[in-house]
Amino acid sequence: MTEFWESSFQDKNAMWGFEPTDAALATLKLFQEHQLEKILIPGFGYGRNAKPFADAGFQVTGVEISETAIRLARQHYGNSITIHHGPVSAMPFDDETYDGVFCYALIYLLDEEERAKLIDDCYRQLRPGGYMVFVAVSKNDAMYGSGREVSKDRFETRHGVQLFFYDAAAVETEFGRYGLIEYKEIDEPVMQTGNKPSLKFWYITCRK
């Protein structure tokens, strides 16, 4: 996994551009409504989803596996954001507690044991009353069933990346004991751009 993302960021740099996702903007609004200030972003990448939070004055900490992605982030943020280098499987990287956690398009890249650990680690670092939001690919997305089936609802792409596709039952099973308060399917981006279709994701909200 480390080699894949490192080579991807080396080859494509800011491969998704610098505009934040619609899900990040929705989460910013949620976190502002509940007056959160200090947030953790596992799977930080080069920081496109951190920008709206940083611009709004949040104290942001990231976790990122790729040194190249961190270097790209530093070009835009300097040292204003703490970024821990390493896989999310090595969490926690600090003893901090956070008001909010935002984890976008990461958890479905992990196997069952790794997903459980990530959710648990994030919840442990969440202060009482804090919120965490996960965005995970849905079984209703057109990609479902493509590639080699590794296990139930998990498929390997032609690039060798394994994706786990969530349905409502899987969301409830994995997040149910972590303060799950809402989950809904979303299109990401909300408006289709060009010839590239929107993806189907679950937007999962938990409160401790």
Side-chain angles (χ1 to χ4, degrees), residues 7-190:
S7 62
S8 294
F9 285 115
Q10 287 176 356
D11 292 342
K12 301 172 185 174
N13 290 304
M15 65 184 89
W16 300 294
F18 283 96
E19 287 298 314
T21 60
D22 292 326
L25 297 176
T27 303
L28 171 64
K29 183 178 179 181
L30 172 71
F31 286 3
Q32 287 177 319
E33 287 174 353
H34 294 283
Q35 300 180 320
L36 308 188
E37 297 178 352
K38 184 178 177 182
I39 67 166
L40 177 67
I41 303 181
F44 187 85
Y46 52 82
R48 67 168 177 151
N49 281 328
K51 187 178 188 305
F53 297 100
D55 289 349
F58 284 76
Q59 181 181 339
V60 180
T61 297
V63 177
E64 174 53 44
I65 197 171
S66 166
E67 290 182 343
T68 299
I70 293 174
R71 188 179 71 252
L72 291 169
R74 291 286 178 228
Q75 293 173 5
H76 292 271
Y77 297 105
N79 293 315
S80 63
I81 292 178
T82 299
I83 309 173
H84 298 295
H85 175 233
V88 294
S89 59
M91 289 175 62
F93 287 90
D94 56 39
D95 297 323
E96 301 290 332
T97 56
Y98 295 91
D99 301 325
V101 176
F102 179 55
C103 186
Y104 180 87
L106 166 65
I107 192 165
Y108 59 80
L109 299 170
L110 308 177
D111 64 27
E112 183 176 2
E113 183 177 337
E114 291 168 335
R115 295 196 305 273
K117 183 179 186 300
L118 175 59
I119 297 168
D120 191 69
D121 287 339
C122 289
Y123 193 75
R124 287 176 184 272
Q125 288 198 267
L126 197 64
R127 68 160 174 80
Y131 286 79
M132 61 183 192
V133 172
F134 285 77
V135 180
V137 71
S138 169
K139 281 178 66 172
N140 289 322
D141 187 79
M143 290 190 298
Y144 179 76
S146 299
R148 180 177 68 88
E149 186 171 9
V150 178
S151 58
K152 184 179 184 297
D153 295 331
R154 195 163 187 239
F155 298 86
E156 183 173 292
T157 71
R158 59 188 176 88
H159 301 294
V161 178
Q162 295 182 0
L163 307 177
F164 176 76
F165 293 81
Y166 280 83
D167 57 14
V171 172
E172 291 179 359
T173 296
E174 296 193 2
F175 292 90
R177 61 192 184 93
Y178 291 100
L180 179 64
I181 57 174
E182 183 184 33
Y183 55 96
K184 59 186 178 182
E185 277 193 306
I186 62 170
D187 292 324
E188 184 66 53
V190 173

